[in-house]
Amino acid sequence: MPETRRYRYKIIKWVAAIIVIAFSLLAAIAWFLNVKSRPLLTEQIKTLLYKSTDSLYTISFSKVTTNVLTGSATLQNVKITADTVRFRELIRLKRAPNNLYTVTLKKLVVKHFHPLTLYRERKLQIEEVIFDKPEVLMMNRQFDFNEDRPPRLIKSPYSFISKNLEEFSIKAIRFQDASFKYINKNVNKLSVFAIDDLNITLTDLLVDSTSADDPSRFYLLKDVIINLNNYQYTTPNKMYNIKLNKLDFRASTGMLRVDKFELEPRYDEMKFAEVAGHATDRFHIQMSNISMNGIDLPVYISKQELRAKEMGIANGFVSVFNNGSVEKQVGEIKIGQFPHQLLQKLAPPVLVQKINLKDVNISYAIYNSESQQRGRISFEHTSGVFKNVTNLPKIKAINPTMEVSLNTYLLGQASLDLNFKFDLKAPKGDFEYKGVLHNFNARVLNQITKPLGLVRINSGIVDKLQFDFKADNTGAKGKVDFYYYDLSVALMRNDPSKDHLVTRGLISILANALLINSENPNRHNEFVSSQVDYKKPDSSSFFSLIWRSLFTGIKNSIGITEEKQNEIKQHIANFKEMQANHQIRKRNRLKRRQQRDRERRQNERR
């Protein structure tokens, strides 16, 4: 038994000795390869970058450490810069890229670079490269010679590395928590955009004899994945915050998703215009479940043009408020502020072939200083389609019309079908709008007619409101057909001694008796169709143009025409004159009575 135990101890000692020797040999080999591979790796990295970019970019770093056992390397204080002299030469040769980059970071990690494969097969295969918190500066300048160029390099990088390598590949290149700054050098005044905490993954980079012609690759890559979480940006005028909850993009599918987008005003409704210094529309926009399909990433990278086949927006709201108690800006002119005109002024070129809108609430509210109340009109559960949303400069080669078809519910109750056609080329902002508003109780309109028009609808049933307009910067011309019955209204005024509007009794009676058509068509089946020629004040907005033109048509249809308003004013003037004459006669009678009383008392004293 003791002999057996001693025999086992000897075996254990031999195995332990072999393990120690093996580890010692491996450590020595690793140390030797590490020391020997550092200069080789350093030279390979610098040569590859320089040659594969047509001698445009160079890389510098203060220190490189390698570990052959794990196949990893770390570069410290890395900087990738462009040679401006070479860039000018490439411009002359018409080979320069549209984008010029500068990348700086404290650490670049290379994982699993397979040194034995490099030595034996002349293939530099890397599993992963990590750029930790890099700062990326990108300057964009559009060159005519790059127009319509396919998303491939002008000359394959393989021609630059073929003398030293058969293949160069990286499975994944990760930019973690990147700071990105974009400078647009295509405009007179430099435009700068910055973003932080961006994560980008470039997958399956391959440089070999065939990869440059592989149609499934763009810029030698299989895919680009972009992630952005909890991004916030304050607009240059300091009036809004732009927020993105979560953004994901994958180039291979051209799919972008945003969980939540918000344009958040930094001040409340009544204070916003005061801070701005003049009356202005205050927007609050929030959208969820935003998706975009068919994004052309190569076009965006080379030209900074956002092109997509389809976009979806679901579950959100657009709220617009105007504080009418704040004075308008002196000389303010809101010409060129229609949606399609603002789209043309948008800096980045955009083309989205189709936008699907689903279940979005839209509201427009005004504070009326006369009534000291808010009027609000809302379009709830709005769904529809936008077609040809674009501001591309070469619009002559593209359909020049943006079309919008919407279905919504006015004030959450009345179904409204609405269609717009925007002329993207018209210098005066020409557009058309038409629609049909279906059966509803007219009293729901009190939310806007009382505070803005000082008119309360006591009763009325609307069968249909149909309209068709053509508009531009100067106003709108069109037709309103308003079918209704049992209409009765009350005219209101603001009483400073009370905290609410009060009825103007006599005028309301006269209005219903002499002014208002209680039904259309009337009992003789005669229908009043209103032709509208609304002149837009230079300071009024797009929403105001739509509302005011429709309101003019509605007033004309129910009988509140200029002629009838003058008629009722004359009746009121006559009535006031009768009241004044009555008061004069009353005072004269009182004087005569008092005179008789004095004379009677004098006679009695005699």
Side-chain angles (χ1 to χ4, degrees):
M1 190 71 172
E3 290 294 330
T4 304
R5 189 179 292 118
R6 282 196 298 270
Y7 180 72
R8 288 176 179 174
Y9 286 156
K10 286 181 179 180
I11 294 175
I12 292 172
K13 286 180 180 180
W14 293 342
V15 172
I18 292 171
I19 291 174
V20 169
I21 293 170
F23 270 109
S24 298
L25 287 172
L26 286 174
I29 294 170
W31 174 84
F32 177 78
L33 291 176
N34 279 337
V35 172
K36 293 295 185 181
S37 65
R38 286 173 195 169
L40 176 62
L41 183 62
T42 300
E43 186 60 30
Q44 288 284 4
I45 292 172
K46 291 182 177 181
T47 301
L48 280 172
L49 182 67
Y50 183 74
K51 289 187 175 182
S52 63
T53 59
D54 205 357
S55 307
L56 180 57
Y57 287 97
T58 59
I59 184 171
S60 63
F61 40 87
S62 61
K63 183 181 179 181
V64 57
T65 58
T66 59
N67 188 321
V68 175
L69 290 179
T70 60
S72 62
T74 301
L75 283 65
Q76 304 286 346
N77 300 315
V78 181
K79 188 167 186 178
I80 300 173
T81 55
D83 184 337
T84 55
V85 175
R86 177 58 177 168
F87 186 61
R88 287 194 293 270
E89 175 67 11
L90 290 175
I91 294 174
R92 187 184 66 81
L93 297 172
K94 297 185 178 182
R95 299 210 310 255
N98 287 345
N99 298 317
L100 205 61
Y101 298 91
T102 300
V103 182
T104 59
L105 66 157
K106 289 190 176 181
K107 184 171 67 173
L108 186 151
V109 180
V110 179
K111 293 185 176 181
H112 310 301
F113 59 81
H114 308 297
L116 293 179
T117 305
L118 173 62
Y119 299 145
R120 292 176 179 175
E121 303 179 28
R122 298 175 66 226
K123 293 182 179 180
L124 180 53
Q125 297 174 336
I126 300 172
E127 293 293 327
E128 188 176 36
V129 174
I130 300 174
F131 290 76
D132 189 26
K133 297 182 179 179
E135 296 178 2
V136 181
L137 173 65
M138 170 183 168
M139 290 186 291
N140 179 264
R141 179 180 168 190
Q142 302 294 324
F143 295 110
D144 292 338
F145 52 77
N146 282 332
E147 288 293 321
D148 303 320
R149 180 165 282 165
R152 298 187 181 90
L153 299 174
I154 299 171
K155 189 174 182 180
S156 172
Y158 180 71
S159 62
F160 300 112
I161 69 169
S162 58
K163 291 181 180 180
N164 302 309
L165 293 173
E166 291 293 330
E167 177 188 300
F168 171 51
S169 63
I170 305 175
K171 289 297 182 183
I173 303 172
R174 305 187 192 279
F175 290 80
Q176 297 181 165
D177 297 330
S179 296
F180 182 84
K181 181 181 287 186
Y182 164 73
I183 299 177
N184 184 359
K185 301 191 73 174
N186 301 294
V187 292
N188 294 330
K189 184 179 179 181
L190 290 182
S191 174
V192 180
F193 173 76
I195 192 170
D196 296 325
D197 302 322
L198 192 65
N199 296 306
I200 304 174
T201 301
L202 313 178
T203 64
D204 196 8
L205 172 69
L206 176 63
V207 180
D208 65 9
S209 59
T210 62
S211 60
D213 297 319
D214 186 346
S216 67
R217 295 180 180 273
F218 47 93
Y219 301 114
L220 307 174
L221 297 164
K222 276 291 187 179
D223 208 351
V224 176
I225 302 168
I226 300 175
N227 304 107
L228 180 64
N229 294 315
N230 301 321
Y231 171 72
Q232 181 169 317
Y233 169 72
T234 301
T235 57
N237 63 7
K238 308 299 181 185
M239 301 300 290
Y240 294 95
N241 289 326
I242 295 175
K243 295 181 177 180
L244 285 175
N245 179 269
K246 184 181 179 182
L247 181 148
D248 295 296
F249 172 72
R250 186 177 289 270
S252 59
T253 60
M255 168 71 79
L256 179 144
R257 293 192 62 86
V258 177
D259 281 358
K260 182 180 177 182
F261 166 83
E262 183 173 12
L263 178 68
E264 176 191 55
R266 302 184 70 203
Y267 305 97
D268 64 32
E269 288 184 335
M270 297 303 291
K271 189 177 179 181
F272 188 88
E274 295 176 4
V275 175
H278 57 90
T280 184
D281 288 336
R282 172 190 181 272
F283 289 85
H284 188 186
I285 302 173
Q286 182 175 302
M287 297 293 174
S288 303
N289 301 327
I290 300 173
S291 63
M292 194 175 288
N293 299 324
I295 295 177
D296 194 329
L297 182 62
V299 168
Y300 182 77
I301 291 174
S302 63
K303 300 182 181 181
Q304 301 302 294
E305 291 182 3
L306 177 58
R307 297 192 181 211
K309 293 180 179 179
E310 192 169 5
M311 183 177 183
I313 302 174
N315 304 319
F317 65 82
V318 177
S319 176
V320 185
F321 178 80
N322 190 288
N323 184 354
S325 66
V326 178
E327 291 185 4
K328 294 181 179 180
Q329 190 174 15
V330 177
E332 180 184 22
I333 297 178
K334 288 187 177 179
I335 292 179
Q337 301 295 309
F338 294 158
H340 58 309
Q341 293 174 314
L342 293 175
L343 176 63
Q344 302 312 304
K345 296 176 183 178
L346 195 65
V350 173
L351 169 59
V352 182
Q353 296 177 18
K354 184 178 180 182
I355 299 178
N356 296 308
L357 197 68
K358 183 178 180 182
D359 202 17
V360 174
N361 295 330
I362 302 168
S363 66
Y364 179 62
I366 306 176
Y367 179 79
N368 188 345
S369 57
E370 182 181 357
S371 66
Q372 296 183 8
Q373 292 189 6
R374 300 174 188 224
R376 179 179 179 273
I377 188 168
S378 65
F379 303 92
E380 300 177 21
H381 306 294
T382 304
S383 300
V385 177
F386 294 68
K387 293 182 180 180
N388 193 44
V389 180
T390 182
N391 64 352
L392 292 184
K394 293 184 178 180
I395 207 164
K396 63 183 179 181
I398 302 172
N399 177 12
T401 303
M402 180 173 70
E403 298 184 27
V404 180
S405 300
L406 300 172
N407 174 259
T408 186
Y409 289 86
L410 177 66
L411 299 168
Q413 298 189 37
S415 176
L416 170 63
D417 297 315
L418 192 59
N419 295 278
F420 290 91
K421 286 187 178 181
F422 297 96
D423 189 337
L424 301 177
K425 294 174 61 179
K428 290 187 178 181
D430 295 43
F431 71 98
E432 302 175 13
Y433 57 101
K434 61 182 179 180
V436 179
L437 183 61
H438 301 281
N439 181 272
F440 67 98
N441 191 321
R443 294 180 63 183
V444 302
L445 296 177
N446 282 328
Q447 296 181 44
I448 192 165
T449 60
K450 283 177 61 178
L452 298 187
L454 295 175
V455 175
R456 184 186 71 210
I457 300 174
N458 294 325
S459 65
I461 300 298
V462 176
D463 283 331
K464 182 170 66 173
L465 173 64
Q466 190 168 312
F467 53 92
D468 191 345
F469 281 89
K470 291 184 178 180
D472 59 24
N473 288 328
T474 62
K477 293 182 180 180
K479 180 181 177 183
V480 174
D481 292 333
F482 190 27
Y483 299 81
Y484 63 91
Y485 62 92
D486 191 28
L487 181 66
S488 172
V489 303
L491 304 184
M492 315 293 289
R493 65 180 175 86
N494 183 39
D495 189 343
S497 65
K498 300 180 180 180
D499 60 355
H500 60 272
L501 298 175
V502 296
T503 303
R504 304 173 70 177
L506 177 61
I507 295 178
S508 296
I509 293 171
L510 289 172
N512 283 297
L514 304 175
L515 196 86
I516 302 299
N517 300 322
S518 62
E519 57 187 9
N520 193 25
N522 62 21
R523 65 187 65 184
H524 304 296
N525 204 30
E526 296 170 341
F527 181 78
V528 176
S529 180
S530 176
Q531 296 292 331
V532 178
D533 187 358
Y534 174 74
K535 303 301 182 184
K536 173 186 173 296
D538 289 344
S539 59
S540 67
S541 67
F542 172 77
F543 291 100
S544 178
L545 170 65
I546 302 294
W547 156 246
R548 294 294 178 186
S549 58
L550 283 175
F551 191 54
T552 300
I554 292 171
K555 286 198 304 180
N556 291 342
S557 295
I558 66 176
I560 309 180
T561 61
E562 186 174 350
E563 293 80 7
K564 285 195 174 183
Q565 288 184 81
N566 291 333
E567 180 183 345
I568 197 170
K569 285 178 182 177
Q570 186 60 50
H571 279 286
I572 293 170
N574 293 339
F575 178 77
K576 287 183 177 179
E577 184 180 356
M578 291 172 57
Q579 278 187 318
N581 292 334
H582 174 72
Q583 291 297 326
I584 292 172
R585 290 193 299 272
K586 186 176 180 181
R587 284 194 299 269
N588 290 337
R589 286 195 300 269
L590 180 60
K591 287 179 181 179
R592 289 194 297 271
R593 186 182 303 116
Q594 290 173 342
Q595 179 64 30
R596 287 195 299 269
D597 288 343
R598 281 195 301 271
E599 291 175 354
R600 181 177 55 79
R601 286 193 297 270
Q602 289 175 357
N603 291 333
E604 289 176 351
R605 283 196 295 269
R606 291 175 184 169

